[in-house]
Amino acid sequence: MKTYINPNDLEIKEICTRPTEDLSQIKSVVESIFNEVQTNGDAAVSKYTHYFDKVDVTNSRISRTEIDAALTVTSIELKTALLKAKANIEKFHSSQVSADVELETSKGVYCQQISRPIETIGIYIPGGTAPLLSTVLMLAVPAQIAGVERIVMCTPPSKSGTVDPAILFAADLCGVTEIYKVGGVQAIAAMTFGTATIPKVMKVFGPGNQYVTAAKTLAQQYGLAIDMPAGPSELLVLADETCVPEFVAADLLSQAEHGKDSQVICITCSNEITESIQKAILDQVELLPRKEIAKLALNHARFIVIDDESNQLELINTYAPEHLILAIKNPRDFISGIKNAGSVFLGNYTPESAGDYASGTNHTLPTSGYSKSYSGVNMDAFVKKITVQEINKNGLLDLGSTIEVLAEAEQLIGHKNAVTIRLKSLENES
Amino acid sequence: MKTYINPNDLEIKEICTRPTEDLSQIKSVVESIFNEVQTNGDAAVSKYTHYFDKVDVTNSRISRTEIDAALTVTSIELKTALLKAKANIEKFHSSQVSADVELETSKGVYCQQISRPIETIGIYIPGGTAPLLSTVLMLAVPAQIAGVERIVMCTPPSKSGTVDPAILFAADLCGVTEIYKVGGVQAIAAMTFGTATIPKVMKVFGPGNQYVTAAKTLAQQYGLAIDMPAGPSELLVLADETCVPEFVAADLLSQAEHGKDSQVICITCSNEITESIQKAILDQVELLPRKEIAKLALNHARFIVIDDESNQLELINTYAPEHLILAIKNPRDFISGIKNAGSVFLGNYTPESAGDYASGTNHTLPTSGYSKSYSGVNMDAFVKKITVQEINKNGLLDLGSTIEVLAEAEQLIGHKNAVTIRLKSLENES
């Protein structure tokens, strides 16, 4: 835990530097798996499932029977929680649906912007020690609202060839069309090219390790769209004298437990507040099952004391955090100055974990400073906006010469002719 | 000009196949220019301007004096046309600005979605035989509406070290903050890393040749966002007996004149209509200054006769054209079935060139089938959507256990604790 007092430009640069992931070493592995899946389809997928997941899966598609069985073994408590979280996510994302636009831009020229869902998407849910239920909600719920026809989900099987029942329950609840027990690079490759079993998708969403990230990057070269570039998760807390240091500590630890490369940043206005937060962290970290991971992340945590509010704001915007907690007196007054952040949490009773699971906002957010140019996943991510225009005869009589002049200036006489030939015909009509 | 009659699946696959651009050969050139610009900044930029543009530019930034001079030499006719086109583009894009969202998702849980402009963007305007004025409008107008603070434009200098005055007039008219006489890979590299003269931007927009496309792809690896992947331009016309074959021919030729790899596709319901269109093309092409280019594009143009409307629609959606003209009797009835297209033009008096220049819609559109997953450039491209949430004490009392249950299911006890510690404190309060 390093502390900076009113950092200078060089220190600000240091604070804002993210770990750079060098994907070049794993790139060749990813490329060769892609080539094999492209050539050999399901056989290559099975081979890599055997190799990486240590299990032989004969039919990777999860059957209705398996899903129905999952419904019976998921606890009522978990089902209730999933339903409540889903309701909030549904409400918030439904409210984001953008209305079609229609207007007459000039006399007789009618323009529209309409939306269409992406027809087929892929959702990748990583495996590991715990089932990432919340990511299923965060990706499938808005896809379903958008009207995506086919929501394909891939997730790695356990060593016994199963998928956590709670994942199956969540996927079924949120309208996932089909679920495949396939993980890692082979899953992304399968959704990129399609196999006899797994369909080719148009856009792939979801988190993953470095291999999955590299696979998503490579998939783009084959025409697949992806949700956003991914890096280690981040939390920046801004706290003043009205914060509760124990709450801030708990929030920073919730970030630290994600992984050893998690980014934990805390800005306060005084040394005293920083010290109380640090003390609370040291007290609380010992109680965490994932304390070893959290401690590794805390090693490179940054505590910054900045007494001036405009300098605090500047650092936040320069850092451009994925998650931003404002544990300050009047957080709403502060929002107008925020230019770059993924998701913002206001006051003492809005922990980051509320947004991770259940407030209704999406938890798929831009890391590594990408919030300077990328939005988190929202309804826009599941649709394409198409424009439509219709010009009537009077409209073309009015606008035609404008188009002719501009086309001529660009020396595109074919473009000009497409107007001229119509104007001449209208002249002959009259 | 190849004609297909009610094509079978194999032929549809052939029709929908786009030329694949193999960028691997030019990748190493692009990478080495990037490395040099990253290391040597302006010196490397000047070196490549000398090498590719055959001119020595000492100060790449266009001065206010140069811009003012441009204003005086641009013709009144062109200025008037630019102003009229700008007005339509402004109206249509302003109408797309999405309202902020704010709602209480569940008791005491308040969620918002707010928008913030990307602070600094780069616009690349290619050089070549003619000044691409319209692209300046299409990118700078929405950026200005969105509130982008810094709109950086790069465009290659002529051999005499100048930039077309009309480009300078258009850029100045649309609020471009600064203009640099730098083109090609070195321009994209300069905007990726920043030099002493040219600022680093957060997102880069604009068309270009294969080198520029490869440079934009590489820029993404350095954290830059880009507008969309680029490929050769495309037009698909659907025409029935109500079409005017001469108009359709003019539209197809306006596409063909873009470049030898332009994609020209025409679906009709009868052989007779196809033949009349083909005849009109052969008549008109000879009159085009760019007829040699147009003829090369026409060599691989595809004419398809499909008598069944649902099969026409299926082919359109499978092809997913950049531009789609519906020269049919009731084009509005057809729109509901369109799933994939960049921009759609209705009826006999709406040529593609209207949208290229002046109807108000954007002409930066997804090619190569990307309209299955990408929107054309619209107001969303210039902003980030940020979520905000605030939970009050009652809200956390109500939602807390949901978050605890889900965090525990994911074995993230730190996430759970961030709620538990607050709930305990609220218990003690009461």
Side-chain angles (χ1 to χ4, degrees), chain A residues 66-83 131 133 137 163-173, chain B residues 405-406 409:
Chain A
E66 282 173 280
I67 295 168
D68 288 339
L71 305 192
T72 62
V73 299
T74 306
S75 75
I76 297 287
E77 192 190 30
L78 187 53
K79 282 181 180 170
T80 309
L82 280 166
L83 282 167
L133 298 168
L137 298 186
V163 167
D164 191 287
I167 288 277
L168 301 184
F169 172 77
D172 196 52
L173 179 70
Chain B
V405 169
L406 291 169

Side-chain angles (χ1 to χ4, degrees), chain B residues 24-41:
Chain B
S24 61
Q25 291 159 341
I26 61 177
K27 219 171 134 185
S28 63
V29 175
V30 173
E31 275 172 6
S32 71
I33 298 176
F34 263 61
N35 291 339
E36 267 193 73
V37 172
Q38 186 174 27
T39 312
N40 300 328

